[in-house]
Amino acid sequence: MKIMGRVTLVGAGPGDPELLTLKAVRVLRDADVVLYDDLVSTAVLAYAGPQARLIPVGKRGGCASTPQAFIEQLLIREARAGHAVVRLKGGDPFVFGRGGEEAATLRDAGIGVDIVCGLTSGLAAAAAIGIPVTHRMHAHGVALVTGHAADGEVEPDWAALVRTGLTLVIYMGMRRAEELQSALIAADMPPSMPVAVIAHATRPEQAAIVSTLADWPAAAEAAGLASPAIIVVGQVAALATGASVDSGQRRGGDFGQVEHTRQHVA
């Protein structure tokens, strides 16, 4: 009787291989097959064992992508062949990673699924430039939100989110920067609200700007920041230390007009 393989959904974290969990490293070393996303760095893939077949199944907005249905069928086929399969995703598989969809499809097919969580990029990016997404004086919580609504999907309720006073961490929002800016201002968020944009977080090419809601799309464009990037909106963004901020522009509780600069992390 043929032994059925299992699939492990593994979070690769934001990019720095030292931010992988020990469990992720162990599972990668034992895998027969690794299906990995575009955002998974080569340094992370280096932890796969020499026996593993590495299969790219990238999905990225604005680029040619591997169809989700194809990925799921490939996972099923490899598991039914008796292989130890790793589905390797940037960040955490259950935070905007379609991990929930894949896990449900696999379980419906009678295939065992394990989950190895990873450090989600939204939290890692903020921390990488010294932003605490929660802070007793500034934010009592954080909301992780997608800035990329798929066709037919309802937009996040920006007005409701603004009323909470939570730090907003926006994924996949750079292609809609001006739309997001307009939506937040229409929801009565002050134009002076601090906003940080962090691209390629934790990687050698990391770059970041700190600006205001009124100016951040232009500031990000001027700095050459594009996807993949995380947008942090809230008073805590003013606490950034890993992107140059003109502290002389801070006036009391008002972040004011900030000098837009770019920070490279070696």
Side-chain angles (χ1 to χ4, degrees):
M1 181 177 177
K2 194 166 191 178
I3 298 175
M4 181 79 75
R6 293 182 68 85
V7 175
T8 306
L9 306 183
V10 177
D16 181 351
E18 292 187 341
L19 294 176
L20 278 170
T21 65
L22 293 174
K23 189 169 187 178
V25 171
R26 176 177 61 77
V27 171
L28 276 171
R29 285 177 176 166
D30 292 342
D32 298 314
V33 183
V34 178
L35 279 67
Y36 65 94
D37 283 343
D38 275 348
L39 295 180
V40 175
S41 68
T42 55
V44 169
L45 289 173
Y47 283 101
Q51 77 287 348
R53 284 186 290 123
L54 305 180
I55 304 175
V57 288
K59 299 178 72 64
R60 189 181 297 191
C63 303
S65 297
T66 306
Q68 184 64 28
F70 176 83
I71 295 172
E72 292 169 0
Q73 289 305 308
L74 187 55
L75 290 170
I76 292 169
R77 186 185 76 186
E78 294 293 343
R80 285 179 173 166
H83 297 145
V85 184
V86 165
R87 175 72 172 98
L88 188 60
K89 299 170 174 288
D92 183 277
F94 277 6
V95 181
F96 303 120
R98 292 198 172 186
E101 298 172 37
E102 293 176 0
T105 298
L106 290 164
R107 287 168 180 150
D108 287 347
I111 294 167
V113 182
D114 298 308
I115 311 299
V116 177
C117 61
L119 181 56
T120 185
S121 300
L123 302 183
I129 63 168
I131 296 175
V133 292
T134 65
H135 190 292
R136 286 195 307 156
M137 304 299 294
H138 301 294
H140 297 294
V142 57
L144 308 182
V145 188
T146 178
H148 174 70
D151 293 342
E153 289 187 357
V154 178
E155 282 278 328
D157 188 338
W158 297 110
L161 288 166
V162 169
R163 286 195 297 272
T164 67
L166 301 179
T167 302
L168 303 183
V169 175
I170 304 175
Y171 294 65
M172 300 171 285
M174 291 301 292
R175 292 175 61 84
R176 303 182 62 223
E178 293 183 355
E179 293 175 57
L180 295 175
Q181 177 197 47
S182 297
L184 291 170
I185 290 174
D188 292 329
M189 180 172 279
S192 61
M193 183 64 74
V195 177
V197 180
I198 310 101
H200 303 287
T202 78
R203 297 171 183 250
E205 64 270 31
Q206 174 177 301
I209 59 101
V210 179
S211 183
T212 62
L213 182 59
D215 296 331
W216 76 267
E221 183 178 4
L225 303 190
S227 296
I230 292 292
I231 304 159
V232 181
V233 183
Q235 292 294 342
V236 293
L239 303 177
T241 58
S244 298
V245 176
D246 183 356
S247 59
Q249 295 295 333
R250 301 183 190 180
R251 298 186 294 276
D254 183 1
F255 188 68
Q257 191 70 21
V258 177
E259 178 184 358
H260 312 305
T261 57
R262 185 171 181 170
Q263 167 89 7
H264 289 280
V265 178

